[in-house]
Amino acid sequence: MDAWRIAEPGADTEDVVWTVDLSQAGTGVFEVLSEEEQARADRFLRAEDRDRYVASHAALRLILGRRLGLPPRDLAFEAEEGGKPRLAGSRRGACRFNLSHSGARALVGLSRRVESGVDVEALRPMPDALRVARGHFAPEEARALAEVLEAGRASVFMGLWTRKEAVVKALGTGLALPLSRFEVSLPPAPARLLASGDPRLDPFAFTLLHLEPGPGTVGAAAFAAPDARPALRALPGDWPRRLESA
Ligand SMILES: CC(C)(COP(=O)(O)OP(=O)(O)OC[C@H]1O[C@@H](n2cnc3c(N)ncnc32)[C@H](O)[C@@H]1OP(=O)(O)O)[C@@H](O)C(=O)NCCC(=O)NCCS
């Protein structure tokens, strides 16, 4: 199990991956979002998608606001060309971050110096894991997954998937970069970028981490540096109360 340390979000300067329990967020956190975020939240059809969106963006604002010494409501965002959100306005470039959410869990990657990408997935049955891997992953990954016993294949697939998503999110391309263009290690092997057919992805220039962010979830983080050692932090369970005083 990862060594997550419960901590107050603060103005530390090191690389960090935060894990957040979204289940306690309640409705009060909606007010901290921008009008644009509130409008997007209201377009979700399913209440659980809306609630997860609201809670994860409120938690992101709390973490970034504390780090930058700004009220969470005052942060402004814009999208890079490939869609990756970044800080806008006076704090543009002050800190790089990435967000992922699934089920009741969010991950936030933070760094002052390099890009990061994070991905969390709630573990669930994956009857079509091999079909997806053969259709979208590198051939060597699909072959290795086929050798995993069926009983354990879904969790290995999800681990592999989060490693690959973390990489494309660090790059900022999202799924516009074909997932077959590079190869990562399969769990339970330590997370590593093994090979790449894309000039933007040098296996020696990325650090990959396997994460277990909360019960029933698997995750990964990628940092665009060969030597990244991010601290693993967990927001206290009553984090929404910090927004009232922030
Ligand atoms: C970005 C992407 C990888 C998200 O993956 P996901 O597992 O569905 O969702 P996650 O919770 O892990 O991440 C979502 C967050 O990633 C961030 N994000 C969005 N675009 C991103 C990008 N290009 N790079 C990095 N991060 C991105 C946002 O903060 C987003 O949060 P929000 O949706 O609440 O605003 C994926 O949706 C994607 O690639 N989208 C853009 C390209 C696309 O749609 N291609 C389709 C062709 S196949």
mmCIF file of all heavy atoms in Angstrom, residues 22-59:
data_model
loop_
_atom_site.group_PDB
_atom_site.id
_atom_site.type_symbol
_atom_site.label_atom_id
_atom_site.label_comp_id
_atom_site.label_asym_id
_atom_site.label_seq_id
_atom_site.Cartn_x
_atom_site.Cartn_y
_atom_site.Cartn_z
ATOM 1 N N LEU A 22 -13.881 12.104 -2.122
ATOM 2 C CA LEU A 22 -14.901 13.064 -2.569
ATOM 3 C C LEU A 22 -16.252 12.823 -1.902
ATOM 4 O O LEU A 22 -17.173 13.623 -2.080
ATOM 5 C CB LEU A 22 -15.081 12.954 -4.092
ATOM 6 C CG LEU A 22 -13.818 13.163 -4.946
ATOM 7 C CD1 LEU A 22 -14.146 12.908 -6.423
ATOM 8 C CD2 LEU A 22 -13.275 14.577 -4.764
ATOM 9 N N SER A 23 -16.362 11.728 -1.146
ATOM 10 C CA SER A 23 -17.700 11.326 -0.690
ATOM 11 C C SER A 23 -18.286 12.256 0.370
ATOM 12 O O SER A 23 -19.483 12.251 0.601
ATOM 13 C CB SER A 23 -17.671 9.881 -0.158
ATOM 14 O OG SER A 23 -16.837 9.819 0.977
ATOM 15 N N GLN A 24 -17.445 13.056 1.038
ATOM 16 C CA GLN A 24 -17.934 13.924 2.124
ATOM 17 C C GLN A 24 -18.171 15.354 1.666
ATOM 18 O O GLN A 24 -18.346 16.248 2.485
ATOM 19 C CB GLN A 24 -16.903 13.942 3.268
ATOM 20 C CG GLN A 24 -16.572 12.588 3.838
ATOM 21 C CD GLN A 24 -17.804 11.882 4.383
ATOM 22 O OE1 GLN A 24 -18.642 12.503 5.029
ATOM 23 N NE2 GLN A 24 -17.938 10.601 4.062
ATOM 24 N N ALA A 25 -18.138 15.604 0.345
ATOM 25 C CA ALA A 25 -18.102 16.994 -0.110
ATOM 26 C C ALA A 25 -19.384 17.779 0.179
ATOM 27 O O ALA A 25 -19.337 18.964 0.439
ATOM 28 C CB ALA A 25 -17.789 17.042 -1.601
ATOM 29 N N GLY A 26 -20.551 17.144 0.129
ATOM 30 C CA GLY A 26 -21.795 17.876 0.372
ATOM 31 C C GLY A 26 -22.062 18.896 -0.729
ATOM 32 O O GLY A 26 -21.349 18.960 -1.733
ATOM 33 N N THR A 27 -23.076 19.719 -0.521
ATOM 34 C CA THR A 27 -23.472 20.644 -1.586
ATOM 35 C C THR A 27 -22.802 22.014 -1.453
ATOM 36 O O THR A 27 -22.745 22.778 -2.410
ATOM 37 C CB THR A 27 -25.005 20.862 -1.576
ATOM 38 O OG1 THR A 27 -25.391 21.189 -0.235
ATOM 39 C CG2 THR A 27 -25.735 19.626 -2.039
ATOM 40 N N GLY A 28 -22.258 22.333 -0.261
ATOM 41 C CA GLY A 28 -21.701 23.669 -0.015
ATOM 42 C C GLY A 28 -20.529 24.018 -0.909
ATOM 43 O O GLY A 28 -20.290 25.200 -1.187
ATOM 44 N N VAL A 29 -19.796 23.012 -1.395
ATOM 45 C CA VAL A 29 -18.566 23.294 -2.150
ATOM 46 C C VAL A 29 -18.865 23.880 -3.538
ATOM 47 O O VAL A 29 -17.970 24.404 -4.198
ATOM 48 C CB VAL A 29 -17.677 22.039 -2.285
ATOM 49 C CG1 VAL A 29 -17.304 21.485 -0.915
ATOM 50 C CG2 VAL A 29 -18.350 20.960 -3.122
ATOM 51 N N PHE A 30 -20.115 23.819 -3.977
ATOM 52 C CA PHE A 30 -20.489 24.321 -5.312
ATOM 53 C C PHE A 30 -20.120 25.800 -5.469
ATOM 54 O O PHE A 30 -19.698 26.250 -6.542
ATOM 55 C CB PHE A 30 -22.006 24.140 -5.484
ATOM 56 C CG PHE A 30 -22.528 24.442 -6.858
ATOM 57 C CD1 PHE A 30 -22.260 23.601 -7.924
ATOM 58 C CD2 PHE A 30 -23.304 25.563 -7.082
ATOM 59 C CE1 PHE A 30 -22.751 23.873 -9.198
ATOM 60 C CE2 PHE A 30 -23.808 25.848 -8.354
ATOM 61 C CZ PHE A 30 -23.524 24.989 -9.407
ATOM 62 N N GLU A 31 -20.264 26.556 -4.370
ATOM 63 C CA GLU A 31 -20.077 28.010 -4.430
ATOM 64 C C GLU A 31 -18.658 28.425 -4.785
ATOM 65 O O GLU A 31 -18.435 29.549 -5.239
ATOM 66 C CB GLU A 31 -20.452 28.638 -3.077
ATOM 67 C CG GLU A 31 -21.872 28.388 -2.651
ATOM 68 C CD GLU A 31 -22.868 28.781 -3.729
ATOM 69 O OE1 GLU A 31 -22.639 29.815 -4.381
ATOM 70 O OE2 GLU A 31 -23.838 28.031 -3.948
ATOM 71 N N VAL A 32 -17.693 27.539 -4.582
ATOM 72 C CA VAL A 32 -16.302 27.912 -4.823
ATOM 73 C C VAL A 32 -15.941 27.845 -6.315
ATOM 74 O O VAL A 32 -14.938 28.389 -6.753
ATOM 75 C CB VAL A 32 -15.364 27.010 -3.977
ATOM 76 C CG1 VAL A 32 -15.131 25.673 -4.643
ATOM 77 C CG2 VAL A 32 -14.045 27.710 -3.710
ATOM 78 N N LEU A 33 -16.807 27.207 -7.102
ATOM 79 C CA LEU A 33 -16.522 27.056 -8.535
ATOM 80 C C LEU A 33 -16.805 28.353 -9.291
ATOM 81 O O LEU A 33 -17.623 29.178 -8.869
ATOM 82 C CB LEU A 33 -17.378 25.931 -9.137
ATOM 83 C CG LEU A 33 -17.261 24.539 -8.513
ATOM 84 C CD1 LEU A 33 -18.017 23.533 -9.369
ATOM 85 C CD2 LEU A 33 -15.816 24.120 -8.350
ATOM 86 N N SER A 34 -16.161 28.513 -10.438
ATOM 87 C CA SER A 34 -16.439 29.659 -11.301
ATOM 88 C C SER A 34 -17.815 29.470 -11.957
ATOM 89 O O SER A 34 -18.364 28.357 -11.959
ATOM 90 C CB SER A 34 -15.375 29.756 -12.396
ATOM 91 O OG SER A 34 -15.489 28.647 -13.270
ATOM 92 N N GLU A 35 -18.322 30.534 -12.547
ATOM 93 C CA GLU A 35 -19.629 30.422 -13.220
ATOM 94 C C GLU A 35 -19.572 29.382 -14.334
ATOM 95 O O GLU A 35 -20.503 28.615 -14.553
ATOM 96 C CB GLU A 35 -20.026 31.777 -13.804
ATOM 97 C CG GLU A 35 -20.613 32.705 -12.763
ATOM 98 C CD GLU A 35 -20.937 34.071 -13.326
ATOM 99 O OE1 GLU A 35 -21.113 34.191 -14.558
ATOM 100 O OE2 GLU A 35 -20.979 35.016 -12.529
ATOM 101 N N GLU A 36 -18.447 29.359 -15.039
ATOM 102 C CA GLU A 36 -18.276 28.404 -16.145
ATOM 103 C C GLU A 36 -18.313 26.970 -15.615
ATOM 104 O O GLU A 36 -18.959 26.088 -16.194
ATOM 105 C CB GLU A 36 -16.944 28.703 -16.828
ATOM 106 C CG GLU A 36 -16.750 28.034 -18.161
ATOM 107 C CD GLU A 36 -15.334 28.303 -18.687
ATOM 108 O OE1 GLU A 36 -14.746 29.355 -18.346
ATOM 109 O OE2 GLU A 36 -14.839 27.442 -19.427
ATOM 110 N N GLU A 37 -17.605 26.730 -14.502
ATOM 111 C CA GLU A 37 -17.601 25.381 -13.916
ATOM 112 C C GLU A 37 -18.998 25.020 -13.403
ATOM 113 O O GLU A 37 -19.439 23.869 -13.545
ATOM 114 C CB GLU A 37 -16.584 25.318 -12.769
ATOM 115 C CG GLU A 37 -15.141 25.319 -13.238
ATOM 116 C CD GLU A 37 -14.153 25.591 -12.095
ATOM 117 O OE1 GLU A 37 -14.518 26.290 -11.121
ATOM 118 O OE2 GLU A 37 -13.010 25.140 -12.194
ATOM 119 N N GLN A 38 -19.683 25.989 -12.808
ATOM 120 C CA GLN A 38 -21.030 25.705 -12.306
ATOM 121 C C GLN A 38 -21.966 25.344 -13.460
ATOM 122 O O GLN A 38 -22.781 24.421 -13.355
ATOM 123 C CB GLN A 38 -21.567 26.915 -11.535
ATOM 124 C CG GLN A 38 -20.813 27.171 -10.240
ATOM 125 C CD GLN A 38 -21.392 28.324 -9.432
ATOM 126 O OE1 GLN A 38 -22.275 29.030 -9.890
ATOM 127 N NE2 GLN A 38 -20.874 28.518 -8.235
ATOM 128 N N ALA A 39 -21.814 26.052 -14.571
ATOM 129 C CA ALA A 39 -22.659 25.759 -15.736
ATOM 130 C C ALA A 39 -22.349 24.366 -16.280
ATOM 131 O O ALA A 39 -23.262 23.612 -16.646
ATOM 132 C CB ALA A 39 -22.437 26.822 -16.812
ATOM 133 N N ARG A 40 -21.052 24.023 -16.309
ATOM 134 C CA ARG A 40 -20.679 22.687 -16.803
ATOM 135 C C ARG A 40 -21.241 21.610 -15.877
ATOM 136 O O ARG A 40 -21.753 20.590 -16.339
ATOM 137 C CB ARG A 40 -19.152 22.577 -16.909
ATOM 138 C CG ARG A 40 -18.742 21.328 -17.616
ATOM 139 C CD ARG A 40 -17.282 21.261 -17.942
ATOM 140 N NE ARG A 40 -16.918 19.875 -18.209
ATOM 141 C CZ ARG A 40 -15.715 19.369 -18.015
ATOM 142 N NH1 ARG A 40 -14.737 20.132 -17.599
ATOM 143 N NH2 ARG A 40 -15.485 18.105 -18.266
ATOM 144 N N ALA A 41 -21.153 21.869 -14.565
ATOM 145 C CA ALA A 41 -21.673 20.902 -13.585
ATOM 146 C C ALA A 41 -23.166 20.659 -13.838
ATOM 147 O O ALA A 41 -23.641 19.522 -13.795
ATOM 148 C CB ALA A 41 -21.452 21.414 -12.171
ATOM 149 N N ASP A 42 -23.879 21.716 -14.131
ATOM 150 C CA ASP A 42 -25.330 21.593 -14.307
ATOM 151 C C ASP A 42 -25.713 20.886 -15.607
ATOM 152 O O ASP A 42 -26.876 20.527 -15.791
ATOM 153 C CB ASP A 42 -25.983 22.979 -14.231
ATOM 154 C CG ASP A 42 -26.009 23.495 -12.796
ATOM 155 O OD1 ASP A 42 -25.953 22.650 -11.878
ATOM 156 O OD2 ASP A 42 -26.061 24.720 -12.588
ATOM 157 N N ARG A 43 -24.744 20.707 -16.511
ATOM 158 C CA ARG A 43 -25.055 19.997 -17.764
ATOM 159 C C ARG A 43 -24.944 18.478 -17.632
ATOM 160 O O ARG A 43 -25.348 17.756 -18.528
ATOM 161 C CB ARG A 43 -24.140 20.507 -18.891
ATOM 162 C CG ARG A 43 -24.520 21.906 -19.388
ATOM 163 C CD ARG A 43 -23.926 22.191 -20.751
ATOM 164 N NE ARG A 43 -22.475 22.264 -20.726
ATOM 165 C CZ ARG A 43 -21.765 23.358 -20.436
ATOM 166 N NH1 ARG A 43 -22.372 24.480 -20.150
ATOM 167 N NH2 ARG A 43 -20.447 23.347 -20.448
ATOM 168 N N PHE A 44 -24.353 17.978 -16.519
ATOM 169 C CA PHE A 44 -24.276 16.521 -16.361
ATOM 170 C C PHE A 44 -25.676 15.950 -16.191
ATOM 171 O O PHE A 44 -26.513 16.522 -15.491
ATOM 172 C CB PHE A 44 -23.417 16.144 -15.140
ATOM 173 C CG PHE A 44 -21.949 16.280 -15.382
ATOM 174 C CD1 PHE A 44 -21.248 17.370 -14.898
ATOM 175 C CD2 PHE A 44 -21.253 15.321 -16.105
ATOM 176 C CE1 PHE A 44 -19.888 17.511 -15.122
ATOM 177 C CE2 PHE A 44 -19.887 15.445 -16.342
ATOM 178 C CZ PHE A 44 -19.208 16.540 -15.846
ATOM 179 N N LEU A 45 -25.933 14.806 -16.836
ATOM 180 C CA LEU A 45 -27.258 14.203 -16.744
ATOM 181 C C LEU A 45 -27.406 13.404 -15.462
ATOM 182 O O LEU A 45 -28.462 13.394 -14.844
ATOM 183 C CB LEU A 45 -27.502 13.289 -17.960
ATOM 184 C CG LEU A 45 -27.507 13.997 -19.325
ATOM 185 C CD1 LEU A 45 -27.686 12.990 -20.445
ATOM 186 C CD2 LEU A 45 -28.620 15.056 -19.373
ATOM 187 N N ARG A 46 -26.307 12.728 -15.060
ATOM 188 C CA ARG A 46 -26.390 11.881 -13.871
ATOM 189 C C ARG A 46 -25.882 12.653 -12.652
ATOM 190 O O ARG A 46 -24.792 13.260 -12.698
ATOM 191 C CB ARG A 46 -25.553 10.615 -14.054
ATOM 192 C CG ARG A 46 -26.091 9.723 -15.184
ATOM 193 C CD ARG A 46 -25.453 8.361 -15.175
ATOM 194 N NE ARG A 46 -24.019 8.409 -14.940
ATOM 195 C CZ ARG A 46 -23.280 7.342 -14.664
ATOM 196 N NH1 ARG A 46 -23.838 6.162 -14.582
ATOM 197 N NH2 ARG A 46 -21.986 7.457 -14.472
ATOM 198 N N ALA A 47 -26.656 12.595 -11.553
ATOM 199 C CA ALA A 47 -26.293 13.340 -10.338
ATOM 200 C C ALA A 47 -24.911 12.931 -9.841
ATOM 201 O O ALA A 47 -24.123 13.771 -9.387
ATOM 202 C CB ALA A 47 -27.339 13.096 -9.259
ATOM 203 N N GLU A 48 -24.561 11.640 -9.953
ATOM 204 C CA GLU A 48 -23.264 11.206 -9.413
ATOM 205 C C GLU A 48 -22.098 11.806 -10.223
ATOM 206 O O GLU A 48 -21.053 12.128 -9.662
ATOM 207 C CB GLU A 48 -23.172 9.684 -9.360
ATOM 208 C CG GLU A 48 -23.238 9.003 -10.714
ATOM 209 C CD GLU A 48 -23.241 7.483 -10.597
ATOM 210 O OE1 GLU A 48 -22.159 6.886 -10.577
ATOM 211 O OE2 GLU A 48 -24.342 6.918 -10.551
ATOM 212 N N ASP A 49 -22.295 11.973 -11.551
ATOM 213 C CA ASP A 49 -21.247 12.605 -12.365
ATOM 214 C C ASP A 49 -21.099 14.083 -11.988
ATOM 215 O O ASP A 49 -19.996 14.610 -11.894
ATOM 216 C CB ASP A 49 -21.579 12.494 -13.857
ATOM 217 C CG ASP A 49 -21.526 11.054 -14.337
ATOM 218 O OD1 ASP A 49 -20.827 10.244 -13.707
ATOM 219 O OD2 ASP A 49 -22.219 10.742 -15.334
ATOM 220 N N ARG A 50 -22.252 14.733 -11.794
ATOM 221 C CA ARG A 50 -22.239 16.146 -11.408
ATOM 222 C C ARG A 50 -21.535 16.313 -10.056
ATOM 223 O O ARG A 50 -20.649 17.160 -9.913
ATOM 224 C CB ARG A 50 -23.684 16.657 -11.303
ATOM 225 C CG ARG A 50 -23.794 18.074 -10.813
ATOM 226 C CD ARG A 50 -25.261 18.437 -10.560
ATOM 227 N NE ARG A 50 -25.427 19.852 -10.280
ATOM 228 C CZ ARG A 50 -25.260 20.409 -9.091
ATOM 229 N NH1 ARG A 50 -24.888 19.659 -8.046
ATOM 230 N NH2 ARG A 50 -25.430 21.703 -8.926
ATOM 231 N N ASP A 51 -21.920 15.493 -9.086
ATOM 232 C CA ASP A 51 -21.350 15.632 -7.742
ATOM 233 C C ASP A 51 -19.847 15.386 -7.752
ATOM 234 O O ASP A 51 -19.087 16.073 -7.077
ATOM 235 C CB ASP A 51 -22.028 14.648 -6.770
ATOM 236 C CG ASP A 51 -23.501 15.009 -6.553
ATOM 237 O OD1 ASP A 51 -23.909 16.106 -6.981
ATOM 238 O OD2 ASP A 51 -24.230 14.180 -5.986
ATOM 239 N N ARG A 52 -19.416 14.393 -8.539
ATOM 240 C CA ARG A 52 -17.981 14.092 -8.596
ATOM 241 C C ARG A 52 -17.225 15.241 -9.252
ATOM 242 O O ARG A 52 -16.149 15.627 -8.817
ATOM 243 C CB ARG A 52 -17.746 12.780 -9.354
ATOM 244 C CG ARG A 52 -16.312 12.297 -9.231
ATOM 245 C CD ARG A 52 -16.079 10.974 -9.905
ATOM 246 N NE ARG A 52 -16.235 11.093 -11.342
ATOM 247 C CZ ARG A 52 -17.042 10.352 -12.077
ATOM 248 N NH1 ARG A 52 -17.793 9.428 -11.518
ATOM 249 N NH2 ARG A 52 -17.114 10.530 -13.375
ATOM 250 N N TYR A 53 -17.799 15.795 -10.308
ATOM 251 C CA TYR A 53 -17.177 16.938 -10.982
ATOM 252 C C TYR A 53 -17.039 18.117 -10.005
ATOM 253 O O TYR A 53 -15.971 18.711 -9.864
ATOM 254 C CB TYR A 53 -18.011 17.352 -12.205
ATOM 255 C CG TYR A 53 -17.509 18.612 -12.864
ATOM 256 C CD1 TYR A 53 -16.506 18.558 -13.833
ATOM 257 C CD2 TYR A 53 -18.002 19.864 -12.484
ATOM 258 C CE1 TYR A 53 -16.018 19.718 -14.408
ATOM 259 C CE2 TYR A 53 -17.526 21.027 -13.062
ATOM 260 C CZ TYR A 53 -16.536 20.953 -14.020
ATOM 261 O OH TYR A 53 -16.038 22.112 -14.578
ATOM 262 N N VAL A 54 -18.139 18.449 -9.317
ATOM 263 C CA VAL A 54 -18.144 19.591 -8.391
ATOM 264 C C VAL A 54 -17.115 19.376 -7.282
ATOM 265 O O VAL A 54 -16.282 20.250 -6.991
ATOM 266 C CB VAL A 54 -19.555 19.802 -7.788
ATOM 267 C CG1 VAL A 54 -19.511 20.815 -6.658
ATOM 268 C CG2 VAL A 54 -20.533 20.241 -8.868
ATOM 269 N N ALA A 55 -17.158 18.202 -6.654
ATOM 270 C CA ALA A 55 -16.264 17.947 -5.516
ATOM 271 C C ALA A 55 -14.803 17.958 -5.952
ATOM 272 O O ALA A 55 -13.944 18.532 -5.268
ATOM 273 C CB ALA A 55 -16.623 16.606 -4.873
ATOM 274 N N SER A 56 -14.490 17.343 -7.102
ATOM 275 C CA SER A 56 -13.072 17.256 -7.496
ATOM 276 C C SER A 56 -12.533 18.627 -7.893
ATOM 277 O O SER A 56 -11.393 18.959 -7.581
ATOM 278 C CB SER A 56 -12.870 16.223 -8.609
ATOM 279 O OG SER A 56 -13.636 16.558 -9.742
ATOM 280 N N HIS A 57 -13.355 19.460 -8.530
ATOM 281 C CA HIS A 57 -12.874 20.796 -8.904
ATOM 282 C C HIS A 57 -12.778 21.720 -7.687
ATOM 283 O O HIS A 57 -11.903 22.579 -7.642
ATOM 284 C CB HIS A 57 -13.750 21.379 -10.015
ATOM 285 C CG HIS A 57 -13.444 20.758 -11.350
ATOM 286 N ND1 HIS A 57 -12.656 21.357 -12.304
ATOM 287 C CD2 HIS A 57 -13.765 19.536 -11.846
ATOM 288 C CE1 HIS A 57 -12.533 20.550 -13.343
ATOM 289 N NE2 HIS A 57 -13.205 19.437 -13.088
ATOM 290 N N ALA A 58 -13.653 21.513 -6.698
ATOM 291 C CA ALA A 58 -13.537 22.283 -5.452
ATOM 292 C C ALA A 58 -12.251 21.892 -4.716
ATOM 293 O O ALA A 58 -11.512 22.766 -4.228
ATOM 294 C CB ALA A 58 -14.761 22.042 -4.572
ATOM 295 N N ALA A 59 -11.967 20.591 -4.654
ATOM 296 C CA ALA A 59 -10.743 20.130 -3.980
ATOM 297 C C ALA A 59 -9.503 20.650 -4.706
ATOM 298 O O ALA A 59 -8.526 21.077 -4.072
ATOM 299 C CB ALA A 59 -10.729 18.600 -3.921
#
